[in-house]
Amino acid sequence: MEVELLWPRVWQMACRLEEIPQRRDFVEYEVLDQSIVVLRTDDMGVRAFQNACRHRGVRIVEGRGTCESGFTCPFHGWCYGPDGRNTFVPQARTFAEHNLQPEDINLTPVRCEVWGGCAWINLDDDAPPLRPCIEPFATIQDAWKVESLRTERWYACRLPVNWKLAEEAFVEMYHVVETHPQLVIPGRYPPRDGRAIDPRTLIDAEIHYLRTMSEGMDGMVHANDVRIAEGLRDIELPADPTLAMSIWQRQLNDAVVSWHRAAGSDVPDLNDLEAQGINEPMGYCFPHYFVLPMYSAASSYRFRPLGPEETLMEIWSLARFPEGREPEKPTPPEPWECDDPRWPPIPTQDFSNLPRQQRGLHARGFQYMRLSERAEGHISNFERTVDGFVAGLPYERLLPALESINLNPLDRPVVDIDL
Ligand code: FES
Ligand SMILES: [Fe+2]
């Protein structure tokens, strides 16, 4: 059902723009049985086509590359320009005229829009434009200047679970204590009775947390930002724990912003975002894209189904660079298995639960997932939105639901999405 009614009707992050930096660079984006070519045009725009020759359907590209003069189908040699127009049909006179109508033999265009440093595609010509489908995620990430991030590292994981289960392992904090005990750092939490603290303990605990997140996710908190925090180790903080924490955060935000601006990078005023209530640790974009901002940098995830119980999860470490000093075009990762010893500690811990959960769900006596109303609400909201697509509801019903789930999913309550 999802194959017919969900994936062909949603905007999907098809590639990061730095994968196609030059004119005529292209990448193939595959989702289930569909393959789409995303191409940088001569005017530095982005277009997309269905990856199927108009003769007998052969995929005209595999993977990625640069098409100097266009694409040639490997089967009988039909040729297409970089704008998708058919430029040559060998032995054209052997075809009936009605089979070679010029407008019928160009590559079939796919809707494509650019936002947030990525190209997005939608296979449905009747879907609303990209922007209303990804709000308020887009507005919040724009304020954080997500478009100026570039890929520093890129990983992929093959998970033996349904894609929804895979996503749902990353949208709540409830699992942190049991799954990631190293992230529960004494001294980070103000005493419940409001008693005074030793500010040195708080600072040490905060820096320890940042370092654990940085090493544990290979750059979710960027090493530069950890160093900036270490530079603040000796600042004076009051003994009142709540006040101390808020001063620490303000100072660290300011220090990160000044450091990156002095280096020539484009970074927003984090305290300004904080004041607006949009300095958030995670942004979710239905159905399969995540940005997890931490100070100047971020991790980003994309989940794609490979089958009913197989998912490809990609993880990017994104960072800001001064103009002209951005890294080279990123190399697409070979997917690792979820138990590969090369994974950093935090994903290793998350991945370890997933195959066990997928197997557990097959238990005959298992009734349903008993979600926490307050801590795991996003999972319920998300599943009901998927159900709305699978029920074939019209976009005017689906758009309000999208708007209520394209938010920070952490600690979101169950909400009425009116589907
Ligand atoms: S299938 Fe492409 S040229 Fe025949
Ligand atoms: Fe986790």
Side-chain angles (χ1 to χ4, degrees):
M1 295 295 271
E2 291 171 3
V3 178
E4 294 301 321
L5 292 162
L6 173 73
W7 293 98
R9 298 174 70 207
V10 284
W11 283 99
Q12 299 172 49
M13 193 285 248
C15 70
R16 292 203 49 89
L17 294 176
E18 60 262 35
E19 294 176 62
I20 45 171
Q22 312 279 357
R23 290 175 176 78
R24 305 196 179 187
D25 286 347
F26 66 85
V27 297
E28 178 191 9
Y29 171 70
E30 282 187 282
V31 59
L32 296 162
D33 60 351
Q34 297 300 302
S35 168
I36 293 110
V37 186
V38 183
L39 173 91
R40 183 74 80 162
T41 56
D42 285 347
D43 59 2
M44 293 306 278
V46 181
R47 297 176 76 149
F49 307 103
Q50 289 186 18
N51 188 9
C53 178
R54 296 302 297 266
H55 177 220
R56 278 165 61 185
V58 166
R59 288 189 174 181
I60 54 158
V61 302
E62 274 182 350
R64 57 191 61 224
T66 305
C67 67
E68 290 308 341
S69 55
F71 305 100
T72 302
C73 178
F75 198 176
H76 310 92
W78 283 33
C79 296
Y80 303 91
D83 55 358
R85 297 190 77 78
N86 184 294
T87 52
F88 181 60
V89 174
Q91 301 174 39
R93 65 188 178 287
T94 67
F95 286 79
E97 199 178 323
H98 73 269
N99 268 332
L100 292 188
Q101 290 303 305
E103 61 279 14
D104 293 341
I105 57 172
N106 301 328
L107 293 177
T108 309
V110 170
R111 291 175 69 189
C112 180
E113 292 191 38
V114 166
W115 173 83
C118 303
W120 302 68
I121 60 96
N122 193 319
L123 289 161
D124 185 357
D125 289 338
D126 296 324
L130 171 68
R131 192 76 193 208
C133 295
I134 62 170
E135 288 293 6
F137 166 81
T139 296
I140 295 171
Q141 298 302 320
D142 274 343
W144 189 63
K145 295 181 181 275
V146 72
E147 77 285 353
S148 53
L149 295 166
R150 294 290 178 275
T151 302
E152 203 165 42
R153 281 181 282 274
W154 183 10
Y155 302 101
C157 180
R158 214 188 310 274
L159 288 160
V161 303
N162 183 271
W163 69 279
K164 300 187 291 303
L165 221 53
E167 281 195 13
E168 290 163 8
F170 297 90
V171 295
E172 42 84 2
M173 301 290 280
Y174 183 43
H175 73 287
V176 171
V177 173
E178 189 63 29
T179 300
H180 310 296
Q182 78 277 23
L183 297 180
V184 183
I185 295 166
R188 285 195 73 220
Y189 311 97
R192 290 229 173 81
D193 54 12
R195 139 176 69 87
I197 50 150
D198 173 6
R200 298 266 79 80
T201 313
L202 174 84
I203 294 176
D204 287 346
E206 278 305 303
I207 292 175
H208 179 55
Y209 174 73
L210 294 176
R211 205 182 303 117
T212 312
M213 287 294 278
S214 181
E215 289 161 9
M217 273 303 292
D218 200 8
M220 182 171 186
V221 181
H222 198 276
N224 277 339
D225 295 351
V226 179
R227 272 196 294 276
I228 294 166
E230 275 163 354
L232 296 179
R233 201 182 271 282
D234 296 326
I235 60 169
E236 292 301 323
L237 291 179
D240 175 89
T242 315
L243 194 59
M245 191 58 153
S246 91
I247 295 177
W248 165 258
Q249 286 300 349
R250 279 195 71 81
Q251 299 244 8
L252 179 53
N253 284 344
D254 275 340
V256 166
V257 172
S258 325
W259 190 92
H260 285 276
R261 287 190 177 163
S265 299
D266 184 29
V267 64
D269 182 334
L270 296 173
N271 280 324
D272 187 40
L273 299 186
E274 191 73 50
Q276 295 177 52
I278 53 171
N279 189 26
E280 291 185 319
M282 189 182 280
Y284 172 74
C285 185
F286 186 86
H288 73 345
Y289 184 62
F290 292 65
V291 177
L292 291 78
M294 280 294 254
Y295 300 96
S296 73
S299 295
S300 180
Y301 306 151
R302 176 173 67 179
F303 296 84
R304 274 181 284 173
L306 299 174
E309 293 189 5
E310 195 176 12
T311 296
L312 182 70
M313 175 187 186
E314 287 158 283
I315 305 176
W316 288 264
S317 297
L318 304 173
R320 295 176 201 270
F321 297 86
E323 213 184 313
R325 304 253 305 276
E326 295 94 350
E328 301 273 283
K329 178 156 118 177
T331 311
E334 263 313 303
W336 296 344
E337 297 304 320
C338 61
D339 55 0
D340 191 294
R342 289 170 289 185
W343 286 112
I346 294 176
T348 297
Q349 291 166 327
D350 288 313
F351 296 161
S352 69
N353 295 322
L354 279 166
R356 293 171 67 153
Q357 184 187 14
Q358 183 71 72
R359 288 197 296 272
L361 286 175
H362 286 288
R364 290 189 187 280
F366 182 78
Q367 292 172 303
Y368 62 92
M369 296 197 199
R370 291 162 202 278
L371 300 173
S372 156
E373 292 281 314
R374 275 178 291 165
E376 299 176 302
H378 176 85
I379 296 175
S380 162
N381 305 336
F382 161 67
E383 291 275 358
R384 282 176 292 135
T385 306
V386 172
D387 290 348
F389 274 89
V390 168
L393 295 183
Y395 288 109
E396 61 265 26
R397 295 278 310 280
L398 295 166
L399 271 175
L402 291 175
E403 211 168 308
S404 58
I405 62 162
N406 285 333
L407 284 166
N408 174 12
L410 304 176
D411 296 324
R412 280 279 290 165
V414 174
V415 293
D416 179 9
I417 53 172
D418 196 24
L419 291 180

